[in-house]
């Protein structure tokens, strides 16, 4: 127990001292995750809304695929994108592998099914008369969908928060596509794995506490939005 308490004291000291190594790692995690979730939201929210209000052949297959992709293992995403971004891959000449851009791309792929599915659920659960009324009053279809999304905005915000919670805590994509490069692509999760394996338990614990704080904030925000 002395080891745990001593490590906890050192971890808190690192956090309270605003240790540069700790906060560069935290910033990398937050930056890549926030950019990824913004890009995922731009693509996935309209897609989820359109699937929710539309009826077309193969809709059931799309819903099944979205549900399957929500549980997509991060290492699988990392493996597939690694193949595309490596020097031998079709996108190798872009030089994205082991950069924050590659991590953002991978995290975006992870977040999109979650955001789309939550948005779809919010739209399906909304009053069907909202869109019908908007169209009857002369709004175009796009404007009608926008009005519908405004009505279910708390559900959409919950979708974005859920997606962010997924990507901020993942390891596989960050490790495989970012390479865990110090001061460049090292995130909280990859640093925790590395530093713990090196015996730097206090450093890993400091990052773990910060990550736990982020997860707590995300879940509190989710609960507040769901209650509303």
């Amino acid at each position: 127990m002395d080891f745990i308490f001593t490590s906890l004291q050192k971890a808190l000291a690192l956090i309270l001292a605003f240790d540069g190594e700790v906060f560069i790692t935290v910033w990398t995690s937050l930056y890549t995750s926030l950019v990824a979730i913004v890009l995922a939201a731009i693509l996935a929210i309209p897609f989820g809304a359109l699937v929710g209000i539309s009826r077309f052949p193969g809709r059931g297959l799309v819903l099944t695929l979205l549900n399957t992709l929500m549980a997509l293992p991060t290492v699988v995403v990392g493996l597939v994108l690694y193949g595309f971004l490596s020097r031998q891959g079709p996108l190798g000449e872009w030089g994205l592998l082991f950069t924050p851009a590659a991590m953002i791309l991978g995290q975006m792929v992870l977040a999109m099914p979650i955001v789309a599915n939550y948005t779809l659920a919010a739209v399906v659960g909304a009053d069907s008369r909202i869109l019908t009324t908007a169209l009857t009053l002369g709004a175009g279809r796009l404007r009608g969908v926008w009005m519908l999304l405004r009505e279910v905005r708390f559900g959409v915000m919950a979708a974005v928060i859920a997606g962010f919670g997924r990507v901020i805590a993942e390891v596989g994509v960050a490790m495989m596509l970012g390479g865990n490069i110090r001061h460049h692509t090292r995130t909280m999760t990859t640093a925790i794995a590395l530093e713990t394996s090196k015996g730097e338990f206090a450093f890993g614990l400091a990052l773990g506490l910060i990550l736990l704080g982020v997860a707590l904030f995300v879940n509190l925000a989710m609960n507040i939005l769901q209650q509303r």
Side-chain angles (χ1 to χ4, degrees):
M1 291 298 294
D2 288 342
F3 170 69
I4 299 294
F5 287 125
T6 302
S7 298
L8 182 59
Q9 289 176 346
K10 291 180 180 179
L12 292 173
L14 286 171
I15 295 172
L16 295 175
F18 292 94
D19 180 79
E21 190 77 20
V22 170
F23 280 91
I24 288 175
T25 305
V26 172
W27 165 248
T28 302
S29 285
L30 292 176
Y31 167 72
T32 54
S33 298
L34 286 170
V35 173
I37 196 60
V38 168
L39 294 175
I42 291 172
L43 297 173
I45 290 174
F47 179 77
L50 290 174
V51 173
I53 64 174
S54 302
R55 297 295 181 270
F56 54 88
R59 184 174 182 270
L61 179 61
V62 172
L63 295 177
T64 301
L65 183 61
L66 280 176
N67 288 325
T68 302
L69 291 177
M70 282 187 69
L72 191 64
T74 61
V75 289
V76 173
V77 176
L79 180 65
V80 172
L81 290 179
Y82 183 94
F84 276 92
L85 300 178
S86 66
R87 290 184 180 275
Q88 293 78 25
L91 304 180
E93 61 182 21
W94 291 8
L96 294 178
L97 194 61
F98 303 143
T99 66
M103 295 163 59
I104 289 169
L105 178 61
Q107 291 174 344
M108 185 177 71
V109 171
L110 282 176
M112 284 178 61
I114 296 173
V115 177
N117 240 327
Y118 273 69
T119 301
L120 190 155
V123 168
V124 170
D127 191 333
S128 59
R129 293 172 295 181
I130 296 173
L131 182 58
T132 304
T133 302
L135 295 176
T136 302
L137 293 175
R141 191 160 183 83
L142 287 178
R143 183 169 178 79
V145 173
W146 171 250
M147 294 175 67
L148 176 60
L149 287 174
R150 287 186 60 185
E151 289 296 321
V152 297
R153 58 189 177 276
F154 294 117
V156 174
M157 291 168 65
V160 174
I161 292 173
F164 177 76
R166 162 78 155 158
V167 298
I168 191 69
E170 70 83 28
V171 181
V173 164
M175 184 74 76
M176 297 181 71
L177 300 181
N180 201 21
I181 303 171
R182 184 185 181 192
H183 295 172
H184 185 54
T185 60
R186 185 168 295 172
T187 65
M188 285 187 281
T189 51
T190 59
I192 289 170
L194 176 66
E195 297 301 327
T196 303
S197 68
K198 289 166 54 181
E200 297 291 340
F201 185 74
F203 188 88
L205 186 58
L207 292 172
L209 291 173
I210 295 173
L211 185 59
L212 185 62
V214 173
L216 178 62
F217 173 80
V218 168
N219 280 284
L220 285 174
M222 276 282 290
N223 288 333
I224 292 171
L225 289 174
Q226 287 173 349
Q227 290 171 6
R228 300 188 66 171

